[in-house]
Amino acid sequence: MPLVYDELRRVAGYLMGGERPGHTLQATALVNEAYLRLVDASKVNWKGRTHFFAVGANMMRRLLVDHARAKGREKRGGDWQKVTLSAGLRDSEDAALDVEQLLSLDTALTRLADLDPRQARIVTLRFFGGLTVDEVADVIGLSARTVAVDWRHARAWLRRELESGGLS
Amino acid sequence: MNSNRHQRVKEIFNTVCDLGPEDRDQALDKACAGESALRAEVVDLLNFDDDPTGVAPNDRDEALTTVGSFRILQRIGSGGMGEVWEAEQRGSLERRVAIKLIKLGMDSREVVARFAVEQQSLAMMNHPNIARVLEAGVTEDGRPFFAMELVKGVPITDYCDQRRLTARERLELLVQVCEGVQHAHQRGIIHRDLKPSNVLVEEQSGKPLPKIIDFGIAKATDHRSAEQSVFTQLGQWIGTPEYMSPEQADPTGLDIDTRTDVYSLGVLLYEVLVGAQPFDPEELRAAGFDMMRKVIREVEPPRPSTRVSSLGGASVEAADRRRTDPDGLVRQLRGDLDWIVMKAMEKDRNRRYGSAADLADDINRHLNDQAVEARPPTVSYQFSKLVRRHRVAVASSAIVVIAILASLAFATVGLIRARRAEHTAQAEADAARAATSVLVDVFAGLDPGGQTGQSASAESILDRAAHRVGSELEDQPLIQAQLLDTMGSTATGLGLYDRARVFLDEALRLNRLHLGHSHPVLAQTLSKSSRLAYQTGDFRRAQLREEEALEILEATLGEGDSSLVQPLVNLAWALGRQADFVGAERTLARAGELANSGDGPDGLAMADVLFVRATMALWRGEWTDARIDLEHALGIRESNEENDTVAMAWSLHHLGWSERETDALDIAKMHDERAVSIMKEALGPSHPTLAAPLAGLGSTYVRLGDYEPARESFETALKLQEFGLRPNHPDVAHTLRSYALLLRRTGELDASRQLLERAIVITEAAFGDDHMEVWASVEGLARLEHDAGNLDRSRDLWTRAVDISTRVLGPNHRMVGSTHYNLACVLALSGASDRAIEHLRMAVAAGLVYPGMGKDPDLRTLRGNPEFDEIAKEMLEPHPAVQ
């Protein structure tokens, strides 16, 4: 869906335009925006939206990572806007990730995908697509219970990866 | 770590994660069976485990029975962060409360912190118009909650409508709401989602008490991490689009402050006063997300008084709920209340009321007949800003007028340029520049939001344009004339007939003065003037003007030019409405020839000709001829993929009429319904022209015996005409007559009589005595009086009807014959047998064929009379004198 990707990129660029550094930004808001710009929200049924977000989530992840890498090269996170993922990886108030954290997350996710592709997919959908457990279940075609269980373990696993992987 | 291992770890993890510490150890031992590395792995992961999230939340929910000192009864709703439950106080008080609890699965500290702030802020509030916090605490499983006063009330809009509160009473309630909001603001809390469903009205000791609820998304003003986005997952809004302030709809995210609530209060005030929201919610949502926000940010909504007028028929209901009528409501809102509401709803929050208290004060000033502070400030809008607004697809008659003016006027500048080929480039440039500058000034001075104290209605725009055109283009009379011509036809189209006449007369004068009496541009204006006259029912003038136009066109373009078709058709209409059917036929024949040689027999021009002819056939009762022509015309329009849907709707409407008169009722209904829906689509539901097909549908319903749908159609049709046309417009008579027929059927004879008497008055005034429209009204009343048993009255009316029809149609027309017959019936019933028979003879002479005469109960008294029997026999065969 090149059209979607372009739209997402444009939206992300604009929202991350960054006159105001230090603002948290919701990744899902970006996908939201793009979705609603592209599709007349009232006419698409729920299933359609969910699937859109599923696709969008992956793109969003790529986008943010690309953006992070580009930023990372320029300066060390100075004017990078922190990104809040919708389903809080951390419990602290400061649930935002900076450049390095985002890149680490991406790396960790990639590693997870090697071990359990389904879990990685669930995490991507939740973090970057903002889908609930039920919605993820619907997209993937599993029971909510299965998804919840996978999710819980994945979360713990990622946290451990990130903490021991040298994030502050 | 490999994939298999990962899976095993996952399995074990999931088995043990919910267990208590001792059980957990046991289970781990069992599952890992001595593999210490595996066990260590799982234990390590367990350290990173949170409280369970997203795991069977429903089970936990149902287990909840008590919270604090309250017993949970049922869930009322759920919001962004938490859920709301109805509960009752344990112990002696038996009080019902609303309990707000954090949603399961959201126990992250950030959420808890926000909740705590909300709880604290709400606890600080203590105001009669805000739902009170009674208790706050933590549940057994560690979730924070607070208990609020349960408000048993209805949304403020519903309350006001149910009790039919007047504008004053509604304002008094709104003042209380403002005071509540002010109280919250003083404690640093912004509601952010004020709307009718969040302002409930309770009754305490018989008096209404508004209470604001659901500060659920309220934020303390000093909270740091204010969310920039107003979205939650999957595009759910925080805040409701119709009530959302411009700054909330701005994705670049300015901070929200107390003035956001002032805006929402403005919208609430608007809705409570007017009975409709400033932006039509369907249009807003249908426009799509992006457009919706754009509209909120950029488009000025119509002022309350203007909005009432634009509601059309619905304004009667709205006014009634405020114990007044539409005119009264408009009067109440115009001025102070318009200004107050619009000031609260300013796009630029610096220009709004600074606080809810200021808004309340101004409302109170109005209630006490003091001068309000919301004086319209002087603003100069940028031309570009206006142009930007035009691009937003929100319907508004003001914008329609601008668009028409702009496009047509610029086009006519080009037209002038083309025609004045001999002029120098400089003069052309001057002409173009002059026209442009006038338009720019007009647009630039425009203020659709009404802040400069002048309404941006179509009327005022046209007036201002006229003024400018008059004063600034004095040395460009031809451009003046063109612009006035355009404005005149625009005004005609909008139903602003007085203005239209002024504009067009002036345009004519200028054209005659500067172009002479035989210029095509003059002909164009004459045609427009004719159209205006027709619309206002002045058919004679319409005829004269069109004839003048035709003369010019024939002289300049030649008699065989196909652009003569339209003026000829218009002339035929004007003649037909004056019952000069001979003249009309002649004109149509000519038009038909030209159409044939121009567009061809299947061209749209031919369709126009056919339609006129068919309509006149209908007027004369020649149903079959009409139907044939109409089917032909419809066929042409459909195969040409006719863009002029209104023309199609008219063809269908008349076709329905012809089918109805020949008793093909199901077919008629089909055509009628289609006509209504096409016209509604094209003109909108409030256009007076819609009355015609609606009345047609109504008549078909009557014939079918569906009296209630018929009544509805007629009522709607009348309302549309009452609003859209001047009161004595001849078209109103059609609707009145059709409606009267229904009422006759349902036995509501007095009501029917009233309508018919009115119809007679209207048609007499419009047409004088010699017109079939008068005949139709008189005849209708005659039948009614016949049914009502007022035979003398009926007789007089039928006599009159005979006179009229004879004068108009001549003695040998079938319709004259049937009128004689009806008169004969009444005469027979009142015992005047001889005269009855006289008229029967005349009926026969006129060509009436009615085999049932012999059995007609009205003529019972004549049976046995040899003259009567003779006539009855003759009735069975057509008289040779029939056409």
Side-chain angles (χ1 to χ4, degrees):
Chain A
M1 280 212 247
L3 194 65
V4 174
Y5 190 73
D6 278 346
E7 186 65 49
L8 281 173
R9 207 148 46 113
R10 203 167 58 73
V11 168
Y14 139 38
L15 280 179
M16 295 199 271
E19 307 112 20
R20 310 176 73 173
H23 272 179
T24 55
L25 170 74
Q26 288 205 340
T28 51
L30 299 184
V31 185
N32 254 343
E33 281 266 1
Y35 175 74
L36 290 162
R37 277 163 198 263
L38 289 172
V39 177
D40 181 348
S42 59
K43 294 203 185 110
V44 178
N45 62 22
W46 182 80
K47 293 247 158 67
R49 282 156 106 190
T50 312
H51 283 91
F52 177 94
F53 276 98
V55 173
N58 285 310
M59 292 190 187
M60 182 53 58
R61 180 180 157 194
R62 283 275 61 77
L63 249 178
L64 288 173
V65 167
D66 290 346
H67 192 93
R69 287 210 181 100
K71 282 287 179 184
R73 276 196 293 272
E74 290 171 19
K75 303 179 196 183
R76 292 306 256 172
D79 57 356
W80 166 252
Q81 289 181 320
K82 295 193 170 188
V83 175
T84 309
L85 301 177
S86 60
L89 189 55
R90 293 157 184 272
D91 293 336
S92 63
E93 257 190 52
D94 190 22
L97 302 180
D98 63 22
V99 179
E100 293 170 20
Q101 289 165 333
L102 182 65
L103 291 173
S104 306
L105 173 64
D106 184 59
T107 314
L109 259 180
T110 314
R111 252 205 302 273
L112 179 60
D114 278 341
L115 294 168
D116 188 333
R118 193 175 79 191
Q119 269 183 317
R121 201 166 162 211
I122 292 173
V123 171
T124 305
L125 288 173
R126 295 215 71 203
F127 278 0
F128 295 97
L131 302 187
T132 63
V133 167
D134 286 318
E135 285 156 351
V136 170
D138 195 67
V139 168
I140 301 187
L142 296 169
S143 74
R145 177 96 212 156
T146 314
V147 171
V149 153
D150 260 19
W151 162 249
R152 188 169 168 187
H153 173 248
R155 229 171 72 134
W157 189 92
L158 278 169
R159 278 190 188 138
R160 193 185 58 174
E161 279 294 303
L162 293 173
E163 302 236 321
S164 58
L167 296 177
S168 51
Chain B
M1 169 78 71
N2 68 13
S3 198
N4 286 336
R5 170 72 164 238
H6 184 91
Q7 299 303 326
R8 278 188 73 195
V9 170
K10 180 163 75 166
E11 261 178 59
I12 302 173
F13 177 93
N14 282 315
T15 316
V16 304
C17 59
D18 275 325
L19 300 175
E22 315 89 39
D23 298 328
R24 189 179 282 190
D25 280 333
Q26 267 186 22
L28 275 171
D29 289 335
K30 193 165 150 209
C32 301
E35 291 179 65
S36 51
L38 183 62
R39 193 179 197 281
E41 178 107 26
V42 177
V43 168
D44 193 25
L45 273 176
L46 284 167
N47 289 331
F48 291 94
D49 186 34
D50 235 2
D51 285 347
T53 56
V55 175
N58 293 330
D59 298 340
R60 290 262 308 248
D61 263 2
E62 271 149 30
L64 195 67
T65 49
T66 61
V67 168
S69 64
F70 303 95
R71 194 162 69 85
I72 299 287
L73 294 172
Q74 57 174 343
R75 200 207 305 243
I76 303 179
S78 74
M81 266 198 299
E83 297 174 331
V84 186
W85 301 78
E86 182 175 340
E88 90 187 341
Q89 182 125 38
R90 288 189 300 196
S92 53
L93 276 160
E94 303 272 330
R95 183 165 49 176
R96 290 283 169 93
V97 302
I99 298 215
K100 193 144 183 187
L101 200 54
I102 292 191
K103 204 187 258 206
L104 269 173
M106 295 199 77
D107 308 355
S108 74
R109 275 210 251 142
E110 185 182 307
V111 174
V112 172
R114 245 196 280 151
F115 200 75
V117 170
E118 182 193 341
Q119 184 187 319
Q120 247 191 3
S121 3
L122 286 173
M124 289 196 287
M125 298 203 286
N126 184 8
H127 191 277
N129 296 116
I130 298 182
R132 249 172 18 141
V133 173
L134 300 166
E135 193 181 302
V138 171
T139 63
E140 281 161 4
D141 47 4
R143 285 185 291 162
F145 74 93
F146 54 82
M148 298 190 316
E149 169 188 356
L150 181 67
V151 179
K152 295 260 187 198
V154 292
I156 188 170
T157 39
D158 292 344
Y159 183 87
C160 290
D161 283 347
Q162 282 164 17
R163 296 276 186 283
R164 290 177 78 224
L165 297 187
T166 62
R168 170 167 288 266
E169 289 164 332
R170 289 167 190 248
L171 287 169
E172 285 166 3
L173 282 183
L174 255 309
V175 167
Q176 291 185 52
V177 176
C178 292
E179 287 170 358
V181 173
Q182 177 70 11
H183 180 92
H185 287 178
Q186 284 170 333
R187 279 146 193 79
I189 298 172
I190 309 170
H191 190 288
R192 277 165 129 237
D193 194 21
L194 284 169
K195 52 184 174 173
S197 54
N198 282 340
V199 181
L200 305 180
V201 180
E202 260 187 351
E203 268 187 3
Q204 283 196 8
S205 352
K207 284 182 39 170
L209 185 63
K211 282 201 185 281
I212 308 171
I213 63 165
D214 205 4
F215 277 81
I217 54 168
K219 294 221 167 281
T221 47
D222 60 354
H223 192 261
R224 286 287 148 179
S225 65
E227 276 174 88
Q228 298 311 302
S229 161
V230 293
F231 315 117
T232 60
Q233 303 197 348
L234 282 178
Q236 307 293 313
W237 293 80
I238 295 179
T240 319
E242 292 88 358
Y243 300 91
M244 187 173 289
S245 68
E247 58 270 19
Q248 279 170 310
D250 187 340
T252 63
L254 298 171
D255 292 341
I256 310 297
D257 65 17
T258 57
R259 292 169 295 181
T260 298
D261 276 352
V262 171
Y263 180 92
S264 304
L265 283 170
V267 179
L268 192 61
L269 185 57
Y270 192 113
E271 194 176 345
V272 164
L273 288 174
V274 172
Q277 289 163 351
F279 296 113
D280 184 324
E282 266 172 39
E283 275 180 35
L284 203 60
R285 288 182 194 261
F289 189 71
D290 217 24
M291 191 57 77
M292 170 167 30
R293 287 191 311 191
K294 211 167 179 189
V295 167
I296 293 172
R297 288 201 318 272
E298 294 179 17
V299 175
E300 292 291 343
R303 295 152 109 218
S305 56
T306 316
R307 187 84 164 94
V308 172
S309 317
S310 78
L311 289 174
S315 66
V316 176
E317 243 184 87
D320 184 64
R321 293 206 189 103
R322 289 155 181 79
R323 297 186 199 247
T324 179
D325 61 10
D327 284 340
L329 183 57
V330 171
R331 252 178 289 126
Q332 281 174 2
L333 297 178
R334 201 174 274 160
D336 279 2
L337 290 175
D338 271 350
W339 294 334
I340 291 177
V341 170
M342 297 315 278
K343 178 164 175 159
M345 288 181 63
E346 278 274 10
K347 304 289 182 203
D348 177 357
R349 52 192 173 165
N350 293 315
R351 306 228 318 253
R352 281 175 218 160
Y353 290 102
S355 68
D358 288 343
L359 172 57
D361 285 345
D362 236 13
I363 296 177
N364 279 326
R365 277 185 212 107
H366 168 74
L367 289 172
N368 296 328
D369 288 318
Q370 292 167 334
V372 301
E373 298 220 326
R375 291 273 135 195
T378 350
V379 177
S380 56
Y381 283 111
Q382 306 294 325
F383 181 61
S384 59
K385 209 168 173 188
L386 273 163
V387 168
R388 200 151 56 118
R389 279 181 196 163
H390 299 170
R391 294 208 200 108
V392 177
V394 173
S396 136
S397 71
I399 293 182
V400 165
V401 171
I402 296 170
I404 294 175
L405 281 182
S407 57
L408 287 180
F410 281 113
T412 58
V413 169
L415 187 66
I416 291 174
R417 205 180 293 152
R419 296 231 168 131
R420 296 164 87 187
E422 65 273 19
H423 270 237
T424 64
Q426 182 59 40
E428 283 169 15
D430 285 342
R433 203 176 307 123
T436 314
S437 81
V438 167
L439 289 166
V440 167
D441 283 344
V442 170
F443 293 179
L446 275 178
D447 187 355
Q451 259 74 40
T452 58
Q454 291 167 309
S455 94
S457 62
E459 289 98 329
S460 62
I461 295 172
L462 286 170
D463 287 343
R464 264 204 292 289
H467 180 70
R468 291 279 163 81
V469 167
S471 58
E472 292 178 29
L473 288 178
E474 272 187 61
D475 54 343
Q476 300 278 9
L478 289 173
I479 297 186
Q480 269 183 325
Q482 277 292 11
L483 290 176
L484 284 165
D485 174 298
T486 305
M487 284 158 52
S489 62
T490 307
T492 308
L494 290 171
L496 302 169
Y497 298 138
D498 293 326
R499 277 176 183 76
R501 187 169 306 119
V502 169
F503 297 153
L504 288 172
D505 283 348
E506 178 63 5
L508 283 174
R509 186 188 73 84
L510 289 168
N511 278 326
R512 285 202 177 100
L513 191 56
H514 296 275
L515 293 172
H517 291 262
S518 197
H519 198 285
V521 169
L522 176 61
Q524 190 186 20
T525 312
L526 280 166
S527 256
K528 293 192 180 157
S529 180
S530 161
R531 181 173 161 234
L532 168 64
Y534 188 95
Q535 295 279 57
T536 55
D538 186 349
F539 304 120
R540 178 83 185 145
R541 177 183 256 145
Q543 174 196 343
L544 293 171
R545 290 271 154 92
E546 204 68 61
E547 281 171 344
E548 225 187 304
L550 271 165
E551 246 186 77
I552 296 174
L553 290 172
E554 281 164 359
T556 53
L557 299 174
E559 281 184 12
D561 192 305
S562 59
S563 56
L564 289 168
V565 174
Q566 192 55 55
L568 282 168
V569 166
N570 294 342
L571 179 58
W573 278 119
L575 292 169
R577 287 304 281 271
Q578 296 173 79
D580 177 3
F581 295 119
V582 175
E585 262 305 316
R586 202 175 40 218
T587 312
L588 279 175
R590 212 178 137 206
E593 268 172 45
L594 289 174
N596 208 356
S597 56
D599 268 3
D602 290 318
L604 288 173
M606 185 56 94
D608 284 334
V609 173
L610 286 166
F611 181 74
V612 189
R613 210 163 66 197
T615 308
M616 288 196 228
L618 287 173
W619 291 339
R620 296 195 302 252
E622 289 151 20
W623 316 120
T624 310
D625 290 342
R627 199 195 72 222
I628 293 172
D629 277 344
L630 285 166
E631 282 171 347
H632 191 175
L634 206 54
I636 293 177
R637 292 202 194 276
E638 274 166 351
S639 66
N640 272 306
E641 281 164 38
E642 168 74 314
N643 279 327
D644 185 355
T645 46
V646 176
M648 273 205 58
W650 275 109
S651 299
L652 284 164
H653 162 49
H654 282 194
L655 189 55
W657 181 3
S658 71
E659 299 285 14
R660 185 186 331 128
E661 294 298 338
T662 48
D663 276 316
L665 296 177
D666 287 311
I667 300 179
K669 183 165 156 207
M670 182 180 79
H671 290 315
D672 287 335
E673 284 176 338
R674 218 177 136 212
V676 170
S677 89
I678 292 179
M679 207 179 272
K680 198 184 275 193
E681 180 83 47
L683 298 174
S686 317
H687 201 284
T689 309
L690 200 55
L694 270 172
L697 182 57
S699 299
T700 303
Y701 276 133
V702 172
R703 295 274 183 108
L704 285 167
D706 295 336
Y707 293 155
E708 279 322 302
R711 191 190 299 266
E712 237 182 84
S713 304
F714 289 134
E715 283 288 325
T716 311
L718 263 182
K719 278 202 191 113
L720 289 174
Q721 286 180 321
E722 265 152 27
F723 264 95
L725 302 172
R726 61 182 171 77
N728 291 330
H729 196 288
D731 289 351
V732 179
H734 298 166
T735 315
L736 290 170
R737 283 200 296 266
S738 307
Y739 197 177
L741 185 60
L742 166 68
L743 295 174
R744 216 181 93 210
R745 292 278 174 91
T746 59
E748 295 161 76
L749 300 181
D750 284 326
S752 184
R753 179 178 298 118
Q754 270 184 33
L755 296 183
L756 286 164
E757 283 172 347
R758 200 172 142 211
I760 294 179
V761 167
I762 290 175
T763 46
E764 279 172 342
F767 302 110
D769 247 14
D770 289 352
H771 200 285
M772 289 309 281
E773 302 224 12
V774 182
W775 172 87
S777 311
V778 168
E779 179 220 42
L781 188 56
R783 282 182 208 274
L784 175 75
E785 298 296 11
H786 186 154
D787 280 0
N790 302 332
L791 293 179
D792 286 338
R793 193 107 212 261
S794 180
R795 183 197 59 217
D796 292 338
L797 287 161
W798 279 122
T799 308
R800 188 174 169 202
V802 164
D803 285 341
I804 297 174
S805 57
T806 311
R807 277 201 299 272
V808 177
L809 299 172
N812 291 334
H813 195 284
R814 195 176 43 80
M815 285 175 101
V816 177
S818 74
T819 317
H820 276 293
Y821 183 89
N822 286 316
L823 176 54
C825 287
V826 179
L827 287 168
L829 283 171
S830 20
S833 311
D834 291 335
R835 288 180 54 206
I837 294 195
E838 228 180 274
H839 282 282
L840 284 176
R841 263 198 229 289
M842 289 198 259
V844 174
L848 180 70
V849 176
Y850 185 35
M853 189 182 96
K855 302 201 183 68
D856 194 329
D858 287 349
L859 300 174
R860 216 178 335 119
T861 55
L862 301 177
R863 289 184 209 150
N865 181 321
E867 289 187 60
F868 176 72
D869 292 334
E870 202 191 303
I871 296 173
K873 230 171 47 174
E874 267 189 67
M875 273 289 182
L876 296 172
E877 306 149 12
H879 193 277
V882 143
Q883 306 144 308

